Amino acid sequence: MQEIYRQSGRFLAPLLVLSLWLVPVQAEQSETRSLTLVTTLQSLLLTGENLALTPSPDWEALRAVYRERPEPLLWHAPTGELSDAGLELLQFILESGRHGLEPRAYHLDNLGNPLLTRAQRIARNDLLLSDGFLRLARHLAQGELDPGSVDPLWKIPRQPVDPGALLRQALEQQDPVAVLRSLAPQNEDYQRLQQALAEYRELADQAPWPSLPPTPLVRPGDRSPLIPLLRRRLAASGHLLNDGSEDPTLYDPLLQATVESFQHQHGLKTDAIIGPDTRAALNVTAQQRVAQIRANLERWRWLPRQLGDRYILVNIGGYQVQLVEQGRVQLEKRAIIGRPLRSTPSFATRITHLVANPTWTVPWRIAVEDLLPEQKRDSEYLLRKNIQVQQRGEEGWIDQDPAMIDWTGYNRYHFPFRLRQAPGDGNSLGRIKFHMPNPYSIYLHDTPAQSLFQHPVRDFSSGCVRVEGIRELAEHLYTQADGQQQPLGEVLDARQPRYLRLERPIDVFLVYFTSWVDLKGKTQFRPDIYNLDAPLTLALQQLHHRPEARLAYREEQSRD
């Protein structure tokens, strides 16, 4: 049965169908009567809670659906044969693993109990197929887990779904598969990640990947006893092909290029040096990568099914920003996101304005935790940063001279000031800010610290998202606005703060992903910097007792 869970079911499904229904029909068809089936079905509906089934069916929803249907059986003919729609639903359940779901969660193990009479078996199978549809509808449309239970940074509400109404729709159309398919995320990112899941499952079914022991740093050109093991490890995962090295212990140019490609795929510094970070990534097993991909497929199902024809996707875990139009990525930029203690949450909003030459009103936390200690150490710090100090008076905020303030008397519990940084090249927001209303005071903006974009791990901010080359993105959004008279360059050159309303506001989704497939078709993995993969994979494992999720949790824990 495990093989059924891993495979598409294309060849195994007909055999399973034959074993569950067709043979009993041929052997016992004469002794089955429609009245017996109806009576048995009604009895099960009345006493279903007494059945020891895992998962437990939603008996209230089943009663509501069956009560209003004219036909007693929804997926079988009156004589007991499985209908075409029932066969299609069973096939979809078998293939639900393509979504990173577990077929057992939809009663696959409960179907076709040989200890029951034929009438009991058909009636129960019909009910279980209906409940399997209800569960699949919920899981495809909303995910298996409540995101708030495993991810405290997830702030995107899930779309409401009515599984009972969807089941009625499927029955009316006699096409359950079309209805279920429409509930899964409708974008190529999800579909590409499904393909990646299939590929890594194949790798996980093969021999385990070799593990690399701790060693001193190994650099290109070195000879090391680690190199043969490294070659086997990269060959096992399909990274190293046609390795014809004459000296297997030499770190030669072909191996160097392979390691650099591996490092790029895993968000590491592409220096070809085998150090602790690269070795840790190499020692993650194929089963753990399967669990990681499944976790990210679950995150996709937490999102709205349709993100729209035009939107910005901020991949928090991947440090990148994409502008998507008509399902195609038009621009892709590197990003800097919040460091772990000031994490960037996953949320959805809309960009309504561009702010050219913005003034930065320093958030209270940054003011008391970052800038106040700097000012205490250096009395000219705020002046050098062109940061104004204001204190509230009877007529509003009044400018203060920072040199005249005894800063030693102030702390996070007593700080009656507002700090504002004037526009300019040194402004922490840079030259452009995207205004997008949200309760977290998080925005997309420029930065004067452009060198930070060269780091592979870019968690340097206090929560906001800094975007490399943001002007190109701003030009794209600004020039699409109707009636704009002044070019963006002229507005920026004026060096004065100015709000520029977008004629076409654009939706923004900030989402924490640690695995995705890039525009070149390469499956990407990133370190779980916010430690959100571990509780998610563990929760999924507890639902279905998946061994690879348990392994993934141990692997993440071992890095701490």
Side-chain angles (χ1 to χ4, degrees):
M1 190 63 75
Q2 284 293 335
E3 187 65 19
I4 292 175
Y5 302 148
R6 287 195 293 266
Q7 301 297 329
S8 68
R10 184 167 48 194
F11 302 106
L12 295 172
L15 298 178
L16 184 62
V17 171
L18 285 171
S19 66
L20 296 186
W21 280 284
L22 298 186
V23 171
V25 166
Q26 293 168 358
E28 305 178 55
Q29 188 171 14
S30 60
E31 62 187 67
T32 302
R33 297 291 183 268
S34 296
L35 181 60
T36 304
L37 284 173
V38 172
T39 302
T40 305
L41 182 73
Q42 292 174 344
S43 175
L44 286 172
L45 282 170
L46 287 173
T47 62
E49 283 84 356
N50 296 328
L51 295 178
L53 292 172
T54 302
S56 178
D58 186 345
W59 290 107
E60 287 190 15
L62 291 174
R63 291 182 189 115
V65 172
Y66 278 82
R67 187 186 306 122
E68 64 189 36
R69 299 298 300 179
E71 66 277 13
L73 297 170
L74 305 186
W75 308 107
H76 295 78
T79 53
E81 295 89 347
L82 195 63
S83 66
D84 289 343
L87 282 167
E88 292 173 2
L89 177 56
L90 176 62
Q91 184 76 12
F92 193 93
I93 290 173
L94 280 160
E95 297 178 351
S96 61
R98 293 177 174 177
H99 293 269
L101 303 174
E102 181 60 67
R104 288 178 298 178
Y106 313 105
H107 300 295
L108 186 63
D109 287 354
N110 296 327
L111 296 172
N113 188 332
L115 301 179
L116 303 176
T117 68
R118 181 172 184 270
Q120 291 173 330
R121 190 160 59 246
I122 291 172
R124 193 171 84 156
N125 286 345
D126 203 83
L127 291 167
L128 293 180
L129 284 172
S130 295
D131 190 68
F133 180 97
L134 296 174
R135 293 175 62 83
L136 270 169
R138 283 193 297 270
H139 293 168
L140 288 170
Q142 294 186 320
E144 295 185 85
L145 299 169
D146 175 5
S149 67
V150 291
D151 185 348
L153 296 178
W154 191 274
K155 309 300 180 183
I156 305 173
R158 292 185 293 175
Q159 287 186 319
V161 63
D162 184 346
L166 292 166
L167 176 55
R168 296 179 186 96
Q169 177 187 344
L171 292 169
E172 292 295 333
Q173 297 175 356
Q174 284 296 294
D175 195 349
V177 171
V179 174
L180 290 172
R181 283 177 178 165
S182 71
L183 299 175
Q186 302 294 303
N187 60 72
E188 291 186 7
D189 294 287
Y190 182 80
Q191 294 161 7
R192 286 193 291 261
L193 201 56
Q194 284 183 280
Q195 180 60 39
L197 176 63
E199 293 170 359
Y200 274 82
R201 275 176 169 158
E202 290 184 9
L203 292 171
D205 286 340
Q206 299 171 13
W209 294 346
S211 180
L212 276 62
T215 61
L217 297 181
V218 180
R219 295 179 170 84
D222 289 350
R223 281 186 169 83
S224 168
L226 183 71
I227 297 301
L229 188 61
L230 175 63
R231 292 181 185 278
R232 291 200 299 273
R233 165 61 184 84
L234 292 171
S237 58
H239 290 87
L240 183 61
L241 304 175
N242 302 320
D243 181 18
S245 175
E246 296 181 357
D247 185 349
T249 65
L250 175 64
Y251 194 166
D252 59 24
L254 175 60
L255 185 59
Q256 176 182 346
T258 303
V259 170
E260 289 174 349
S261 175
F262 177 91
Q263 290 173 327
H264 181 268
Q265 181 188 2
H266 293 81
L268 304 169
K269 186 177 181 180
T270 54
D271 56 9
I273 297 175
I274 309 301
D277 292 341
T278 298
R279 185 172 61 250
L282 287 164
N283 284 345
V284 176
T285 68
Q287 289 81 4
Q288 290 165 342
R289 292 305 183 198
V290 167
Q292 187 175 359
I293 294 172
R294 276 176 160 163
N296 285 275
L297 286 169
E298 174 74 356
R299 290 187 177 110
W300 272 110
R301 291 189 290 270
W302 293 343
L303 290 169
R305 290 187 293 280
Q306 302 278 358
L307 300 184
D309 294 333
R310 179 172 170 268
Y311 60 90
I312 290 174
L313 178 64
V314 179
N315 182 344
I316 299 170
Y319 315 103
Q320 69 179 19
V321 174
Q322 293 179 331
L323 171 65
V324 181
E325 294 178 337
Q326 304 299 325
R328 294 289 180 265
V329 176
Q330 302 298 325
L331 291 174
E332 184 173 275
K333 300 293 184 181
R334 285 182 283 192
I336 293 169
I337 55 94
R339 52 189 180 270
L341 292 179
R342 296 181 185 174
S343 307
T344 303
S346 295
F347 68 99
T349 182
R350 172 172 285 197
I351 294 176
T352 57
H353 294 77
L354 304 182
V355 185
N357 303 309
T359 297
W360 181 40
T361 300
V362 182
W364 176 85
R365 182 178 181 182
I366 297 176
V368 299
E369 293 185 4
D370 299 348
L371 302 191
L372 179 58
E374 291 290 346
Q375 180 65 15
K376 288 181 177 181
R377 284 190 290 267
D378 179 358
S379 61
E380 295 185 354
Y381 177 81
L382 295 178
L383 287 174
R384 278 202 316 276
K385 293 293 184 179
N386 201 19
I387 295 176
Q388 302 165 319
V389 180
Q390 297 178 324
Q391 188 169 11
R392 186 180 292 278
E394 294 181 358
E395 299 181 359
W397 292 98
I398 302 173
D399 289 343
Q400 303 291 327
D401 183 352
M404 302 301 295
I405 298 172
D406 181 8
W407 294 99
T408 60
Y410 299 99
N411 52 50
R412 65 180 299 118
Y413 305 106
H414 177 47
F415 191 80
F417 305 107
R418 182 174 75 174
L419 306 184
R420 304 189 74 201
Q421 190 175 38
D425 293 333
N427 185 285
S428 293
L429 301 182
R431 303 292 303 282
I432 298 172
K433 181 181 97 170
F434 290 174
H435 181 72
M436 48 191 208
N438 67 87
Y440 317 108
S441 299
I442 286 178
Y443 307 97
L444 274 62
H445 64 81
D446 189 15
T447 176
Q450 293 291 313
S451 63
L452 295 179
F453 289 110
Q454 304 307 312
H455 293 259
V457 177
R458 297 185 290 275
D459 54 339
F460 303 122
S461 86
S462 293
C464 282
V465 179
R466 308 173 195 171
V467 184
E468 185 181 34
I470 196 172
R471 179 165 174 172
E472 183 180 5
L473 180 57
E475 290 273 12
H476 192 93
L477 301 180
Y478 181 73
T479 55
Q480 288 187 350
D482 297 330
Q484 300 288 358
Q485 301 298 320
Q486 191 174 12
L488 180 60
E490 293 183 9
V491 176
L492 293 172
D493 290 342
R495 300 281 175 167
Q496 295 298 317
R498 183 172 169 184
Y499 275 73
L500 306 172
R501 185 176 64 88
L502 295 183
E503 294 293 332
R504 296 179 61 201
I506 185 168
D507 291 330
V508 183
F509 300 91
L510 296 90
V511 188
Y512 184 76
F513 290 122
T514 60
S515 180
W516 68 96
V517 179
D518 65 20
L519 298 178
K520 297 180 180 179
K522 194 75 170 178
T523 305
Q524 297 287 325
F525 298 99
R526 292 297 180 270
D528 181 19
I529 60 167
Y530 289 171
N531 290 319
L532 296 175
D533 276 357
L536 175 52
T537 55
L538 181 62
L540 291 172
Q541 178 266 328
Q542 289 173 335
L543 282 178
H544 308 303
H545 307 290
R546 290 172 176 157
E548 75 274 6
R550 188 163 59 247
L551 288 167
Y553 180 70
R554 284 205 298 265
E555 187 271 333
E556 291 293 342
Q557 292 293 93
S558 69
R559 293 189 188 183
D560 295 339

